[in-house]
């Protein structure tokens, strides 16, 4: 029997704010989290892109010193976001063996790995910290969250590039449906604003080069978009069966109605231009939700602000929805947050949930002139979603041809 899976807690640390409330307020106000990077390594390595969307609140401001010392930033952000989500859910009383973690990252403990490499080269092997491997491993964030909340049902990790945390939400949905847990903490984290990644993404012409105007650099769907903006942070959701949530009197934000995960098997970095895999992920999510394309009232698009990527996603949506897609209110929130890579899907899932709750689609900023090849319903101001039942999807697509879509229903 299909169970109803609901969201009872949300938490985030993002380029727009250190909490969900701060982030949502800034998003609706049309603020940008992109800023010129203040680090000396920007000039040291003469990086062609000198800005990014770093998390607005640094982990050292909110975590204990020992947590900062023993965790890579990717895990620090995961703990911060999960702590907020857990408290927001009312700190559920659940047996440890019935509490699971589905967490994601696209890259993992990059800073720990490369800092240790510098130490090895400059000071020798005896100076490499014994905690280096536990800090750099991709499952470290999931492990940190599971230990923080004594989750013993499972602690699973997804690493599917920019689709990672949406895929973790889909996994959590499936794990709850299968009865493997009563409550799951799910989400994703990333902290990869580093000289290596900045140089590599710039080399492949993926990053915007608007060094003179960072706050306007991320421009989804605009004719003059020239690449994405690196982002940083984490977002976490507490998910549980409706039966479990109601039994403990929890507030419910929305229903996670279903999800779809597919692969393009096309190219390591480029989307399938015909959108076959992405459109199939949409269809799978709607099927799981017991819905049709006509039921969808809002879309939070992946929309990274790359010339090719935005067009490819539109092609996929056109396959999934037909001509109706041009009339569905669409938000491209990376214009404000930049691209959090493995953390982006969970953050945008929270935006989707809040859009349903408040009946208000977030604005898409920096849209100077909409690309005529992408005639979606987009606005630089929040859009009213109206009354009645709402069903929204949140899209994530990643290098390697990974596609993940989550469907949410209002309650």
């Amino acid at each position: 029997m299909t169970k109803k899976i609901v969201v009872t807690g949300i938490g985030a640390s993002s380029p727009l704010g250190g909490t969900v409330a701060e982030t949502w307020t800034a998003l609706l106000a049309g603020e940008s989290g992109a800023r010129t990077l203040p680090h000396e390594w920007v000039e040291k390595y003469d990086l062609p892109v000198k800005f990014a969307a770093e998390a607005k609140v640094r982990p050292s401001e909110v975590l204990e010193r020992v947590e900062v010392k023993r965790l890579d930033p990717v895990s620090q952000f995961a703990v911060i976001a999960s702590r907020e989500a857990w408290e927001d859910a009312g700190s559920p009383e659940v047996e440890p063996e019935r509490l699971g973690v589905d967490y994601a990252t696209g890259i993992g403990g990059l800073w720990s790995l490369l800092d240790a490499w510098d130490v090895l080269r400059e000071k020798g092997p005896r100076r490499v910290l014994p905690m280096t491997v536990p800090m750099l491993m991709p499952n470290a964030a999931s492990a940190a969250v599971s230990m923080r909340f004594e989750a013993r049902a499972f602690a699973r990790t997804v690493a599917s590039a920019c689709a990672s945390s949406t895929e973790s939400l889909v996994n959590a949905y499936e794990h709850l449906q299968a009865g493997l847990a009563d409550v799951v903490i799910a989400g994703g984290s990333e902290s990869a604003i580093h000289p290596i990644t900045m140089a590599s993404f710039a080399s492949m012409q993926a990053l915007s080069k608007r060094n003179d105007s960072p706050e306007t650099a991320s421009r989804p769907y605009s004719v003059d978009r020239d690449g994405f903006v690196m982002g940083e942070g984490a977002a976490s959701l507490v998910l549980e069966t409706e039966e479990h949530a109601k039994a403990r009197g929890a507030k419910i934000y929305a229903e996670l109605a279903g999800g779809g995960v597919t692969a393009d098997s096309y190219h390591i970095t480029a989307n399938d231009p015909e959108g076959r895999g992405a459109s199939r992920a949409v269809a799978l999510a709607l099927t799981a939700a017991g819905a049709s394309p006509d039921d969808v009232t809002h879309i939070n698009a992946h929309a990274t602000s790359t010339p090719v990527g935005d067009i490819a996603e539109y092609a996929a949506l056109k396959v999934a929805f037909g001509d109706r897609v041009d009339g569905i209110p669409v938000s491209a929130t990376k214009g404000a947050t930049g691209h959090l890579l493995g953390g982006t899907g969970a953050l945008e899932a929270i935006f989707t949930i809040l859009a349903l709750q408040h009946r208000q689609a977030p604005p898409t900023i920096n849209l100077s002139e909409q690309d005529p090849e992408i005639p979606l319903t987009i606005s630089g101001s929040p859009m009213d979603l109206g009354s009645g039942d709402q069903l929204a999807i949140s899209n994530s697509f990643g290098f390697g041809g990974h596609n993940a879509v989550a469907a949410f229903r209002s309650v």
Side-chain angles (χ1 to χ4, degrees):
M1 184 178 72
T2 302
K3 305 170 187 175
K4 186 175 285 189
I5 308 304
V6 296
V7 181
T8 57
I10 51 178
S13 181
S14 82
L16 295 177
T19 64
V20 167
E22 292 170 0
T23 298
W24 180 247
T25 297
L27 181 67
L28 292 184
E31 296 179 15
S32 169
R35 295 171 283 275
T36 299
L37 291 169
H39 312 298
E40 57 86 23
W41 47 259
V42 175
E43 297 303 327
K44 177 180 178 180
Y45 298 113
D46 191 24
L47 294 180
V49 176
K50 305 179 186 303
F51 63 94
E54 291 189 304
K56 193 166 187 179
V57 177
R58 305 315 301 168
S60 58
E61 298 178 44
V62 292
L63 291 178
E64 297 292 332
R65 184 178 177 183
V66 66
E67 292 177 296
V68 174
K69 187 175 181 179
R70 294 186 177 182
L71 297 174
D72 184 89
V74 70
S75 298
Q76 295 171 21
F77 284 118
V79 169
I80 291 168
S82 298
R83 184 173 63 186
E84 182 188 4
W86 189 253
E87 292 173 355
D88 185 47
S91 301
E93 291 187 8
V94 56
E95 290 296 320
E97 290 75 19
R98 299 297 298 166
L99 174 62
V101 174
D102 276 300
Y103 225 79
T105 182
I107 294 178
L110 180 72
W111 279 97
S112 294
L113 171 63
L114 295 179
D115 282 353
W117 173 242
D118 289 340
V119 170
L120 176 64
R121 287 189 307 162
E122 297 168 9
K123 300 180 181 180
R126 288 186 174 83
R127 299 295 295 274
V128 174
L129 297 175
M131 284 295 292
T132 296
V133 169
M135 291 170 69
L136 68 85
M137 59 191 189
N139 64 307
S142 178
V145 172
S146 72
M147 288 186 281
R148 174 68 174 77
F149 300 99
E150 297 185 353
R152 297 176 191 155
F154 50 81
R156 306 194 187 191
T157 299
V158 170
S160 54
C162 306
S164 297
S165 52
T166 299
E167 188 170 339
S168 275
L169 296 181
V170 179
N171 285 352
Y173 171 88
E174 293 174 347
H175 293 151
L176 287 163
Q177 290 288 357
L180 301 181
D182 295 321
V183 180
V184 174
I185 303 170
S189 181
E190 205 77 88
S191 184
I193 300 174
H194 183 282
I196 287 289
T197 48
M198 295 292 290
S200 179
F201 279 125
S203 180
M204 70 172 71
Q205 305 297 311
L207 294 181
S208 170
K209 294 182 172 63
R210 295 176 184 269
N211 290 314
D212 58 341
S213 184
E215 68 281 357
T216 67
S218 186
R219 312 171 69 79
Y221 303 137
S222 189
V223 292
D224 56 353
R225 64 190 184 278
D226 69 330
F228 76 87
V229 174
M230 281 280 285
E232 176 189 56
S236 300
L237 293 78
V238 174
L239 303 166
E240 52 192 300
T241 62
E242 182 185 49
E243 180 183 14
H244 189 274
K246 286 186 173 180
R248 68 182 187 86
K251 71 175 182 297
I252 296 174
Y253 282 99
E255 176 191 356
L256 174 53
V261 176
T262 66
D264 283 349
S265 186
Y266 173 76
H267 189 275
I268 192 65
T269 60
N271 308 85
D272 177 354
E274 296 182 23
R276 291 168 294 189
S279 62
R280 194 158 51 88
V282 172
L284 288 171
L286 295 179
T287 297
S292 77
D294 290 341
D295 296 322
V296 173
T297 57
H298 173 52
I299 298 171
N300 189 297
H302 186 60
T304 60
S305 183
T306 59
V308 175
D310 290 4
I311 287 283
E313 182 176 11
Y314 178 69
L317 292 174
K318 195 78 169 178
V319 172
F321 293 96
D323 291 339
R324 180 178 178 269
V325 71
D326 296 337
I328 302 173
V330 172
S331 296
T333 49
K334 289 183 181 69
T337 66
H339 191 356
L340 276 66
L341 308 183
T344 203
L347 182 62
E348 289 165 13
I350 289 176
F351 294 157
T352 306
I353 291 163
L354 293 177
L356 295 181
Q357 184 184 47
H358 297 288
R359 300 293 200 271
Q360 194 172 42
T364 299
I365 67 171
N366 301 326
L367 188 63
S368 60
E369 180 183 349
Q370 187 168 337
D371 188 335
E373 295 186 46
I374 310 177
L376 295 168
T377 297
I378 312 162
S379 175
S381 302
M383 290 180 285
D384 184 10
L385 295 179
S387 58
D389 294 337
Q390 303 280 335
L391 180 72
I393 63 170
S394 181
N395 298 336
S396 294
F397 312 120
F399 283 2
H402 302 283
N403 308 301
V405 176
F408 295 93
R409 184 176 280 119
S410 60
V411 295

